[in-house]
Amino acid sequence: MTTHTSAEHPPSFVQTLLTRWRYIKFGLVGASGTVVNLAVLYVCQEFLLASIASGEQRLYASLAIAILLATVNNFAWNRLWTWRDRQAEFHGSLATQFVRYGLASWLGTSVQYILTLWLAQHVHYLLGNVLAIVLASVINYFANDWWTFKGNPREVSDDERTQRYQSITLGLLVLAVLVYLFDLGGENIPRNGDELVYTHIAFKTWLQTQATGAWLPLASELDHMRNTKPPLLFWQAMVVPWLGLEWKLLWLRVPSLLYTLANTALVVWAARALATDWLRHKAEPAPFPKVLNANTLGLMAGLIFLGCFSTYRYGRPYLTSAIETFWMNLPFWWLLCQVLRARHHTKSGVTPDTTFQPAHSLFIVAGISWGMVALYKSFVLIAPLAATLFLSLCWLNHRAWWAWFVRVASSTAFALGLFALWFVVDPDPMGVWREFVVGENWGKVSAGGPSYLHTAFVGGFSIWVQALGLLQNGAMLGPLVMGVAIWGLFQMRPAWRARLNGVVQPQAVLWMYVLLLSVFFMVPSQRSARYLIPLMPVMSVLCALWLWRLPQWAQRTAMGLGTMFSLLGLGFLGLFLWAGWRIDLYPLWGRLGLLLILALQVLALLRLFGTLLSRASATPLQASWIWLFGLVLSLFAWFGMLSAPLHTAANTYTPEVVAQVQGAKLATPSNFNGDFERWRFLIPGVGRITPYMDHEPNEDADIAQRLKNFDAVVVHRYWNEAPPDCAKANCQILAQRIGLRGRHPAGEINLKNLQTPERVMFWREYLLVKKP
């Protein structure tokens, strides 16, 4: 009789799946708990507790018993099957472990309850419940995996830590994408006021197209705000009504979000590819810990990019930042791909400086990309991009410098040719020259203080302020970005020495891109951190890979500053929550959800402060960076939830109100350029909108005077002020809503006014019409 060994009978596909994916076991146990819950509920309700006369009281008791037994069932099977391999290493009591399991289950149940109530306002309640159950089950699983069935203490193997880091970063990246999708069409998402200027130009040009059929020249009612950007940006918005979609901020912003997600995908790919290259060629030590595999580092780079406040603020609105970032960076990602491919075909992992030859596709991609940059943002950007590509190619293979010059020049000429089409097809080319070339572009160089040198070294547009642009763009993650950038400056000398010895490192392309463009954007007089936004994807890749080479004191300093910045952000959002709570802005489900997020944020802060105050080794620091990324994303999510009630149907003008002011001449308060354009989204179909400043006289007599010239008037009042007196103003309040305030007068935000934060943060907005 033959004895069959396990080697002769490898585990089945199902056994392998259950062993590798613990979550599947967890799901099967959860399904059994659902069966137990339903069975016990039925038996108790119909038989065991039938003596309880009150059906409502009987249901309460039956449900309590059913939940308790289902929890015991799930705990037992998860302990004996799902996390069986960890029981020998757990040093706590069975009761302690059960209490942990109950608390973890409570967290998942709370998330399911809150999400179901919120989603029911947007989709069918059954679909909302299913989505909530899926997300809650994931949270419940990780809470048990990281806490309930974790040893006390327990040594975790490197393989398990590797898998855990990868799962956590993947989950956080998915959460980040959902945060970016949340409330995308909201009026008050973080953005720059120029978004409304652009929407105004796009809408007026669309009206012109409807009347004359001409997509050029661009149209605007704002002074000197017609050719502020090339036409491709506005044509992109005009596609919305051309496709038959409603003129909404949501549809205008979708392309920006798609570009942001494309940038994120390229960031993830680049970090993963570089990490894989390091692991493949072991001629130099990898700059990252071995428990962080290539997948984890790629996902971490994506988290850093989406965790930068500049990405959240400018990567969703109808602006050019996400679009220009994609097209500016694409040729350099393409070049990096060519370099990594060349290294892959060399045994030593060193790309010889005499043999590197990029494919011709690099220069085709460069020409098309730079043309898109010129037609979306500015032709001036072609110069630094072309120079950076040329120098990068010379760094890789200096002997072929003339060939690189000719090919880069050809790509530049092609891109400028694409941009020149604007002058060819625009009926007013001199207007383009005067407003865009001279006013919008040359104006940024010549504008400033007494002299160029004075502006360069003194004031808010100085090069010293610009040097902190990466810190400003990163916000909570800014200290991390700046720390890696400073470390990179100190590595310039070793990199140059290596280059002289013929060693060409692929990451050098990214460092050169950051350095050269940073220097270029210090040239204009109007310096701004916004100019450095296209560098953030590249810096995110470098941060994910090189963070671990920083000394522990540098890591702790960057993490400490990031934690303090997060605490300041949490304080601001807490003030927002307090103001909204005082005016009953949030329903019960909203308050529960906001408080739950607040509790998780406090937990994350305690974890981070605990690491910083202790003499943590490298392993706790690695985990703490993940905690910081999660905290930053939770702040973004919290702001979205705090402002979301302002965009619900209860706080918008009803269809009946909108119908009454169709085609009306409307006067609205407007505190900066284009702000009045928001009412075209709030009141679709309204006629001409005329702005006036909020600080202009706005008493009842002034309202009556405005109503003589306009069909309707929008009026703002502080929260504690009385509404307009329609008896004196000869008006009728057609509707009212809550609006978020912005651009406060100097000195208004102080400790005294913050005692009534609703006055500082919210308006009462009234839509008035003439008294019938």
Side-chain angles (χ1 to χ4, degrees):
M1 186 163 140
T2 305
T3 303
H4 297 285
T5 65
S6 58
E8 295 171 336
H9 292 281
S12 66
F13 173 76
V14 174
Q15 290 174 322
T16 303
L17 198 64
L18 291 176
T19 302
R20 183 174 178 83
W21 298 101
R22 197 189 302 268
Y23 181 75
I24 297 178
K25 292 183 179 180
F26 180 76
L28 294 174
V29 170
S32 73
T34 302
V35 174
V36 171
N37 193 319
L38 294 174
V40 173
L41 180 63
Y42 176 78
V43 171
C44 289
Q45 189 73 0
E46 299 297 331
F47 302 103
L48 296 181
L49 302 181
S51 59
I52 300 177
S54 172
E56 184 177 359
Q57 296 297 325
R58 184 166 72 251
L59 181 59
Y60 287 155
S62 301
L63 189 58
I65 296 174
I67 291 175
L68 175 61
L69 292 180
T71 302
V72 172
N73 170 84
N74 291 357
F75 171 72
W77 282 112
N78 280 322
R79 188 173 186 273
L80 297 174
W81 186 43
T82 309
W83 283 281
R84 180 182 180 180
D85 56 310
R86 299 185 182 178
Q87 294 313 305
E89 300 166 348
F90 186 83
H91 301 295
S93 65
L94 181 63
T96 300
Q97 199 172 36
F98 181 73
V99 170
R100 287 187 179 187
Y101 185 83
L103 291 175
S105 299
W106 168 83
L107 174 63
T109 303
S110 300
V111 171
Q112 178 187 344
Y113 172 76
I114 295 166
L115 278 179
T116 300
L117 291 176
W118 177 74
L119 289 170
Q121 298 193 5
H122 304 277
V123 298
H124 193 277
Y125 71 91
L126 291 177
L127 176 59
N129 190 40
V130 171
L131 295 175
I133 288 174
V134 171
L135 183 58
S137 67
V138 174
I139 293 174
N140 199 355
Y141 169 78
F142 283 117
N144 283 298
D145 188 54
W146 303 337
W147 189 43
T148 306
F149 297 102
K150 175 184 176 182
N152 190 22
R154 183 175 66 89
E155 291 294 330
V156 179
S157 67
D158 286 346
D159 289 342
E160 185 173 342
R161 286 176 58 206
T162 298
Q163 185 62 40
R164 180 176 297 185
Y165 280 130
Q166 181 173 318
S167 300
I168 296 171
T169 50
L170 177 59
L172 285 177
L173 191 62
V174 172
L175 175 62
V177 173
L178 295 177
V179 169
Y180 273 66
L181 285 169
F182 181 76
D183 203 27
L184 182 62
E187 175 191 1
N188 299 298
I189 70 170
R191 58 188 174 86
N192 185 280
D194 288 345
E195 178 186 43
L196 294 172
V197 176
Y198 298 158
T199 58
H200 168 77
I201 298 172
F203 186 77
K204 288 299 178 180
T205 306
W206 168 255
L207 292 182
Q208 170 187 276
T209 303
Q210 293 296 96
T212 66
W215 287 49
L216 286 173
L218 300 173
S220 174
E221 294 178 355
L222 298 170
D223 294 336
H224 310 294
M225 287 286 183
R226 183 167 63 100
N227 293 310
T228 57
K229 290 291 180 292
L232 208 57
L233 174 66
F234 307 106
W235 291 350
Q236 172 186 294
M238 292 162 58
V239 170
V240 170
W242 182 70
L243 291 175
L245 300 173
E246 190 174 351
W247 187 256
K248 287 185 174 182
L249 286 171
L250 172 64
W251 300 120
L252 296 178
R253 291 169 175 168
V254 164
S256 294
L257 179 62
L258 294 178
Y259 272 105
T260 296
L261 296 180
N263 287 326
T264 305
L266 288 171
V267 165
V268 172
W269 165 82
R272 184 182 183 278
L274 281 169
T276 302
D277 177 77
W278 257 305
L279 295 174
R280 180 184 296 119
H281 304 292
K282 298 181 179 180
E284 52 180 316
F288 44 85
K290 64 179 182 179
V291 294
L292 301 179
N293 60 21
N295 293 332
T296 301
L297 290 165
L299 296 169
M300 193 174 292
L303 281 176
I304 295 173
F305 175 62
L306 293 180
C308 291
F309 186 69
S310 61
T311 310
Y312 187 61
R313 183 179 180 185
Y314 297 109
R316 300 197 299 161
Y318 171 53
L319 288 170
T320 58
S321 294
I323 303 172
E324 75 191 44
T325 297
F326 175 84
W327 291 112
M328 287 177 66
N329 291 347
L330 184 60
F332 294 92
W333 298 132
W334 203 276
L335 175 60
L336 178 64
C337 179
Q338 299 286 322
V339 174
L340 293 176
R341 182 176 298 177
R343 281 170 59 88
H344 181 66
H345 291 91
T346 58
K347 295 182 179 180
S348 63
V350 177
T351 305
D353 61 352
T354 58
T355 61
F356 176 71
Q357 294 287 334
H360 294 293
S361 60
L362 171 65
F363 304 98
I364 297 174
V365 169
I368 296 174
S369 297
W370 297 344
M372 296 296 288
V373 170
L375 289 173
Y376 262 113
K377 182 68 173 180
S378 175
F379 68 97
V380 176
L381 293 174
I382 297 177
L385 294 172
T388 303
L389 181 60
F390 171 70
L391 292 175
S392 298
L393 289 169
C394 289
W395 176 274
L396 296 169
N397 183 357
H398 67 279
R399 297 177 185 273
W401 69 271
W402 178 249
W404 308 146
F405 180 81
V406 172
R407 295 178 186 181
V408 171
S410 300
S411 299
T412 302
F414 179 80
L416 289 174
L418 288 179
F419 175 75
L421 293 176
W422 185 10
F423 289 85
V424 174
V425 300
D426 197 304
D428 184 18
M430 289 307 300
V432 175
W433 176 266
R434 182 177 58 255
E435 298 172 26
F436 183 74
V437 177
V438 177
E440 181 71 12
N441 288 279
W442 179 248
K444 286 182 169 56
V445 176
S446 60
S451 67
Y452 176 85
L453 289 178
H454 182 274
T455 306
F457 295 100
V458 180
F461 287 145
S462 68
I463 59 176
W464 317 118
V465 174
Q466 183 75 341
L468 298 176
L470 295 176
L471 176 66
Q472 182 178 336
N473 287 333
M476 288 78 74
L477 299 183
L480 165 62
V481 176
M482 282 298 294
V484 173
I486 294 172
W487 181 89
L489 291 176
F490 284 102
Q491 299 305 307
M492 290 177 61
R493 189 174 180 181
W496 176 248
R497 288 178 178 175
R499 178 66 186 81
L500 293 178
N501 292 327
V503 178
V504 181
Q505 301 168 333
Q507 69 273 13
V509 173
L510 302 184
W511 284 114
M512 290 184 66
Y513 180 79
V514 172
L515 179 62
L516 294 175
L517 262 70
S518 295
V519 172
F520 173 82
F521 285 121
M522 288 185 179
V523 173
S525 295
Q526 294 183 15
R527 302 170 187 88
S528 170
R530 286 181 59 186
Y531 297 164
L532 301 183
I533 289 178
L535 304 183
M536 301 314 290
V538 176
M539 282 305 308
S540 299
V541 173
L542 296 173
C543 285
L545 295 174
W546 292 101
L547 158 65
W548 320 105
R549 280 282 180 91
L550 297 180
Q552 281 203 20
W553 67 265
Q555 288 194 45
R556 293 167 70 90
T557 300
M559 184 182 298
L561 291 174
T563 303
M564 293 304 299
F565 292 165
S566 299
L567 184 60
L568 293 175
L570 185 60
F572 167 76
L573 294 177
L575 189 66
F576 196 126
L577 173 62
W578 183 26
W581 202 295
R582 286 168 63 96
I583 64 176
D584 292 326
L585 182 63
Y586 309 115
L588 175 61
W589 64 266
R591 298 185 182 192
L592 292 173
L594 293 170
L595 288 176
L596 178 60
I597 294 178
L598 176 60
L600 296 176
Q601 289 169 336
V602 171
L603 178 63
L605 282 170
L606 292 175
R607 172 66 164 77
L608 289 169
F609 280 122
T611 301
L612 293 169
L613 294 175
S614 65
R615 294 185 176 180
S617 61
T619 300
L621 280 175
Q622 293 165 14
S624 294
W625 280 114
I626 305 294
W627 279 86
L628 181 59
F629 299 153
L631 175 60
V632 170
L633 291 176
S634 73
L635 292 175
F636 295 164
W638 208 32
F639 180 82
M641 292 189 68
L642 285 170
S643 59
L646 296 172
H647 312 138
T648 59
N651 197 52
T652 56
Y653 296 119
T654 64
E656 294 76 17
V657 169
V658 172
Q660 292 186 54
V661 291
Q662 287 292 292
K665 293 187 296 181
L666 179 67
T668 67
S670 183
N671 293 326
F672 50 94
N673 266 338
D675 188 40
F676 63 89
E677 192 66 27
R678 72 171 67 225
W679 277 275
R680 200 173 305 282
F681 301 103
L682 297 172
I683 311 176
V686 72
R688 183 183 178 87
I689 302 176
T690 302
Y692 68 90
M693 299 299 290
D694 254 320
H695 59 74
E696 293 181 19
N698 204 16
E699 302 299 327
D700 295 329
D702 304 305
I703 295 173
Q705 183 62 38
R706 284 197 178 94
L707 283 173
K708 292 180 180 179
N709 302 318
F710 300 96
D711 301 317
V713 176
V714 173
V715 174
H716 283 159
R717 287 286 186 267
Y718 291 112
W719 191 261
N720 55 355
E721 283 187 330
D725 188 343
C726 282
K728 296 180 180 179
N730 192 32
C731 67
Q732 173 188 350
I733 299 178
L734 194 60
Q736 61 176 299
R737 60 190 290 269
I738 303 172
L740 190 64
R741 290 191 59 193
R743 301 208 175 225
H744 300 77
E748 182 180 10
I749 300 180
N750 52 54
L751 291 177
K752 180 180 179 181
N753 288 338
L754 289 180
Q755 295 176 10
T756 54
E758 64 275 13
R759 175 184 170 89
V760 177
M761 293 189 170
F762 299 105
W763 293 112
R764 288 187 188 272
E765 182 178 297
Y766 300 91
L767 177 60
L768 309 177
V769 295
K770 299 174 184 177
K771 183 177 292 184

